[in-house]
Every structure is written in structure tokens, then in C-alpha cells.
Amino acid sequence: MRFFRAVLLIAPLVVGVQVDRRGREIYDGYKVFRVVTDDGELADFEAQLESMSAIELSRNRGHIDAHHFDIAVPPESLDAFEALNLEAETLTEDLGADIALEGELQPFPGLETGVSGISAQAGAALPSFSWFSAYHPYADHLTFLRSLQAAFPSNSELITAGTSFEGRTIQGIHLWGSGGKGSKPAIYYHGNVHAREWITSMTVEYITYQLINNYSNDTAVKAVLDNYDFYILPIVNPDGFVYTQTTTRLWRKNRQTRSGTSSVGTDINRNWPYQWSGAGSSTSPGSETYRGAAPGDTPENTGIRTFGDQLGAGKGIKLYIDWHSYGQYILTPYGYSCSAKAPNQSKQDTLARNTGTAIAAVHGTRFTTGQTCSTLYATAGGSNDYFTDVTKAEIAWAIELRDTGTYGFTLPANQIIASGEESWAGQKYLWANF
């Protein structure tokens, strides 16, 4: 593909970051392009991304021997970018306009009124369902979790899984059924490991809400809570998440600083201490997929890993899901290898396909399913590989939520409930059939 040689001949474009009156970066006029490359040019293009003014948003293996990158290009660089005559599709004409569709962050809306919901198990009322009509500040997510726990006091507790680099507690909730606390195998969910993927924490919270709300009136929900303990951490990268709300909406990594470099942040999901140094992660601290200086050397990874290891050593982990966006994928192991297969790969493949069918039945949203490496791209040091081979979870997936690139990470708030509804349907199928 001749056009990448042209890219490498162009001097890096230096563009001043524009900020609003609150110090948040502005993306008005940025365009998002999907650029196609082949395997032979991939390394050159990956290196070039760091020196271009474009922001890498996503990548996908695509069809055989080809990859596509979704990149956001600032208005000052559009003429130079378009002059390259790349094989590129325009996904978004104005990224700033898309971000505006997310709406302003809304405070915690309070508790439901006139809803009995969970009957005898209930303490306080559940949080208002209007929570799912908007995105919210980080502190309000903590209030939401506390309110969920207060509504289900005999069958839940707040949990923590370590502390972030900047000192924030990684907060979650533990739910159980009639068997009692900690008596059953675990279902373990992580959300927002990548800071900019706001839909993930909202979707994980939707599932948590529905588990509590339906425990007393849905036999399928009662069955799964009576047979498994849920450990749910909606935001496992709190520092990065806060940074996306206050400064840089498209920030991905944590906020860890390191000696010897001015670059900030490590990709927590390339930092797992298993198959850490392979393809799909970077040794460059400035890269979006920087894996760290050593396996497991981020405090966030240490916290959620230690918690998961304890679950695995206890009653075991039936299901682990690392929730991501975007792309609409259900990804089974492995990411580090396109040829390795999990011991129960056939079962996982069947469950993934059928979970995708259950999701699509709600709103018609189609999810692609398959092994991470061969379906999406190589991901050395990833969570579902670690949970498969080290923690010995029976099923360990990564799920990439809505959409396929129209809005990407900046999914409008009016799609939160739909994402929750279809994900809930998929999980109910999975719980009943695994």
C-alpha cells in the first residue's frame, strides 16, 4: 500500500490544544477517518501515529491481512491529511458535535418513588431509573453504588479492589442470593478500564440495577443470584475516567507518571502479568497501548488482579467479563495468540454466538463473535487471557459495546438504556445456559 510511504515522509504536524473556559480540550471541527492498511505496512503506520497530530481511537484486524485504524484529525491538519490520498472513509464530520450529543454530566437523580421493586429484601428505594438517561460525574457513580447497596442490604455489600495511582479507591459492589455471602462461584465484571469508554460503566450499572430490582420477581434472576456471587466494579480506572470528564475526553490510559519520561499513563489492559510482552502492546510510554515497564506494575492492575486471584482461589470464577467499547464484539480467549485455544473453546464459541443472537433480538444490534486475536487484533497482556490461564475462570470474555464507529467512544446519552437493555438480554441468556 503505497500511501503509507507517503505518510512517513511528512513532518509531524504540531497543533496547539484548544480548551474551553473550564480547561477541557475542544474537538470542534475534528474529523474521524477509518484508514485501511495491510500487515506489511502496519508497524510503520503505528510508529507514525505517535508523531502525527491525529488521535488513534480504535483499530481492527478487518478482513484477511488488512487492518483499519479509526483516527481523529484536527481541523488544522485536514488539508495535509487529505492530500495524502489515503484509503480512508469519513466516519464523523465533526467530533465536537458528537461529543455535544452526549449531553452535560448530570448529578445523581435521587431515589425512585412509588416503586416497590424488590419487596422483602429492600431497604431504601432503588436509585431513580432516570440515572440511565444521562452520563454522570465520577463522584455520583459512587453515590449510585451506595444507593444500590442500601436498597438490597441483606444481599449486598460495597467492595474495594485496591487504590488508583492518584489515590482513589476502586469501588464496587458484591451481590449474593439465598446461599449467603461468598458461598458460590464468582461472576466478576470490570467496566471503564479504558477511561474514555463511558458506556461501559453505565451498562454494567444497568445490569447491576436489574439484578437487584428483579431478584424477587424474576425466577431466572433469582436463580443466577442464588447460584453465583456477583462482584461488579463499574469503573476500574477512576483517575483516567475523571480526567476524561475534566480535561481530555478521549483519554484512554491510567494517569501514572514514570521517571525518565514526560509521557503519562499506562494501558491497564496491556499490563496483566501473563503473555505480557507480545504483539498488541507497546514499549513506548507515549503509546495508547503502553504496557508498562514491568508486568502488573500499575496500581489499578494490582488491585483488580489481586481481587480476582482471591476469587479464583476461593469458590472459583464461573464468568469474567471485561466490558469495553466500541465495535460490537463478543471476544473469547486468546488475545496473545491467534492459534492458541482455550480448553473449552468450542463451548465458549457457541455461547458467544448465542449471546449475540439474544442481544440482537432486542434492538437489532449485531455483535461479531470470535477469538480476540483472530477477530479483532493481538492483545498481549490482556485481561481475559490472564483470567483464562492464571485465575482459571471457566469463561473469560471481553465485550465491546455500541457502536461500530458512527459515534465511537462518544455514544449519545439517548443510547444508554438501549445498550443496557440488549446487554441485559444477552447476560440473561448466558447465565441460563453456561
Side-chain angles (χ1 to χ4, degrees), residues 17 34 60 111 167 205 213 243 254 281 299 301 333 342 375 377 392:
V17 174
R34 179 161 292 168
N60 187 299
L111 304 180
E205 289 167 351
N213 192 44
Y243 194 70
N254 76 352
S281 65
N301 186 277
T375 305
Y377 49 71
K392 303 299 183 183

Side-chain angles (χ1 to χ4, degrees), residues 104-116:
E104 291 294 320
L105 298 176
Q106 297 298 314
F108 179 70
L111 304 180
E112 285 284 11
T113 57
V115 178
S116 57

Side-chain angles (χ1 to χ4, degrees), residues 390-419:
V390 179
T391 315
K392 303 299 183 183
E394 184 175 329
I395 299 167
W397 292 353
I399 294 182
E400 300 274 356
L401 297 169
R402 293 184 175 202
D403 58 11
T404 58
T406 301
Y407 296 104
F409 299 120
T410 59
L411 197 71
N414 62 15
Q415 293 194 39
I416 294 170
I417 291 175
S419 176

Side-chain angles (χ1 to χ4, degrees), residues 8 46 59 105 121 139 219 334 342:
L8 294 169
E46 288 176 324
R59 64 179 71 185
L105 298 176
Q121 270 72 33
T219 56
Y334 290 99

Side-chain angles (χ1 to χ4, degrees), residues 171 188 192 269 343 384 403:
Q171 188 76 62
Y188 191 26
N192 251 128
N269 202 38
N384 57 341
D403 58 11

Side-chain angles (χ1 to χ4, degrees), residues 150-179:
F152 203 43
S154 300
N155 295 77
S156 71
E157 63 182 355
L158 295 177
I159 56 174
T160 61
T163 304
S164 71
F165 180 77
E166 294 180 341
R168 294 180 176 89
T169 299
I170 300 172
Q171 188 76 62
I173 190 168
H174 171 202
L175 310 177
W176 61 86
S178 60

Side-chain angles (χ1 to χ4, degrees), residues 21-103:
R21 58 183 176 82
R22 287 179 283 185
R24 298 181 303 185
E25 291 187 21
I26 297 170
Y27 298 93
D28 294 354
Y30 278 66
K31 286 190 176 184
V32 178
F33 298 98
R34 179 161 292 168
V35 181
V36 179
T37 180
D38 61 32
D39 284 345
E41 303 279 8
L42 183 60
D44 286 342
F45 186 59
E46 288 176 324
Q48 183 64 18
L49 282 176
E50 288 192 49
S51 64
M52 293 175 66
S53 56
I55 304 166
E56 181 187 341
L57 301 177
S58 182
R59 64 179 71 185
N60 187 299
R61 179 174 295 277
H63 50 79
I64 297 173
D65 296 328
H67 298 251
H68 69 239
F69 288 79
D70 293 355
I71 58 175
V73 179
E76 298 89 346
S77 305
L78 287 172
D79 288 345
F81 177 81
E82 292 173 359
L84 296 173
N85 196 29
L86 305 180
E87 185 179 340
E89 171 191 0
T90 303
L91 297 180
T92 296
E93 291 288 346
D94 188 343
L95 181 57
D98 287 351
I99 290 173
L101 292 175
E102 289 183 312

